[in-house]
């Protein structure tokens, strides 16, 4: 059994114990849910079997609040842009991590609070989708507190809503 002592809100799950021979070294995998309150927590990871226990690790873990994402752009040729029903997609390489819908672009900025399940310092692809405009995207590293992302001006050329400039869009324009 894998136990977190002095946990104060930490929960261990999905423990995978490898089969080991004497003297063999192997990695153990588990999921760790953190407390909702940011702070520094002393933690001991203990392996228990019957009445025996062994401390695997004793350290402090710092829980930080989820960072916010601020996406800045302009719509078409406007100096100040506002829009409703904005969608922000966050990708780790080609895997969708988050899809935020029904957001608002206000004064050229979309604020996405509470980015969970992201690693500070890691690069992610951010895609901004607004109806009638070609989507914009960029790559950025997420910071610990707030990530400010500038996406190039979105062009109002997506008349059929497929997210790409196509012959149908050009025909619809004329």
């Amino acid at each position: 059994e894998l136990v977190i002592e002095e946990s104060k809100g930490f929960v261990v799950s999905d423990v995978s114990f490898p089969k080991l021979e004497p003297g063999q070294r192997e990695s153990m995998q588990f999921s760790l849910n953190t407390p909702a309150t940011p702070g520094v927590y002393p933690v001991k990871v203990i392996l228990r079997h019957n009445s025996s226990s062994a401390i695997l690790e004793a350290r402090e873990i710092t829980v930080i609040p989820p960072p916010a994402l601020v996406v800045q752009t302009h719509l078409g040729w406007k100096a100040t842009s506002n829009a409703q029903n904005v969608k922000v997609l966050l990708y780790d390489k080609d895997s969708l991590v988050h899809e935020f819908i029904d957001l608002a672009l206000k004064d050229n900025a979309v604020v996405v609070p509470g980015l969970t399940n992201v690693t500070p310092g890691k690069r992610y692809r951010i895609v901004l989708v607004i109806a009638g405009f070609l989507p914009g995207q960029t790559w950025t590293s997420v910071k610990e507190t707030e990530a400010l992302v500038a996406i190039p001006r979105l062009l109002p050329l997506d008349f059929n809503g497929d997210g790409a400039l196509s012959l149908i869009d050009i025909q619809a324009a004329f």
Side-chain angles (χ1 to χ4, degrees):
E1 173 186 34
L2 189 66
V3 178
I4 301 288
E5 192 174 273
E6 302 174 16
S7 65
K8 295 182 184 172
F10 286 91
V11 177
V12 175
S13 61
D14 304 323
V15 180
S16 171
F17 289 106
K19 293 185 179 181
L20 299 171
E21 296 178 8
Q24 183 180 358
R25 181 182 172 108
E26 187 65 49
S27 296
M28 179 182 356
Q29 294 184 0
F30 60 92
S31 296
L32 180 64
N33 291 349
T34 59
T37 306
V40 178
Y41 296 86
V43 172
K44 288 182 185 174
V45 180
I46 300 171
L47 184 62
R48 287 192 184 144
H49 181 68
N50 296 331
S51 61
S52 301
S53 63
I55 297 175
L56 300 177
E57 186 81 34
R59 65 171 46 203
E60 289 185 336
I61 294 179
T62 302
V63 176
I64 59 173
L69 175 67
V70 178
V71 182
Q72 295 180 324
T73 195
H74 288 84
L75 299 181
W77 294 268
K78 296 179 180 178
T80 303
S81 303
N82 297 296
Q84 297 297 316
N85 300 320
V86 175
K87 185 182 338 182
V88 175
L89 307 172
L90 186 126
Y91 289 90
D92 181 0
K93 297 184 176 102
D94 290 328
S95 298
L96 181 64
V97 177
H98 286 292
E99 178 179 20
F100 300 97
I101 59 172
D102 294 328
L103 299 174
L105 175 75
K106 186 174 181 182
D107 298 327
N108 302 333
V110 177
V111 178
V112 180
L115 284 180
T116 58
N117 299 321
V118 296
T119 305
K122 187 173 182 179
R123 289 181 54 83
Y124 294 92
R125 182 168 55 107
I126 310 296
V127 179
L128 182 63
V129 180
I130 300 175
F133 294 85
L134 295 175
Q137 66 179 335
T138 191
W139 286 84
T140 190
S141 294
V142 175
K143 309 251 185 309
E144 284 188 14
T145 55
E146 181 177 271
L148 182 61
V149 177
I151 290 186
R153 187 176 300 274
L154 301 185
L155 301 176
L157 300 174
D158 190 17
F159 298 108
N160 67 346
D162 67 352
L165 182 60
S166 64
L167 184 58
I168 297 170
D169 292 316
I170 295 170
Q171 289 172 341
F174 296 105

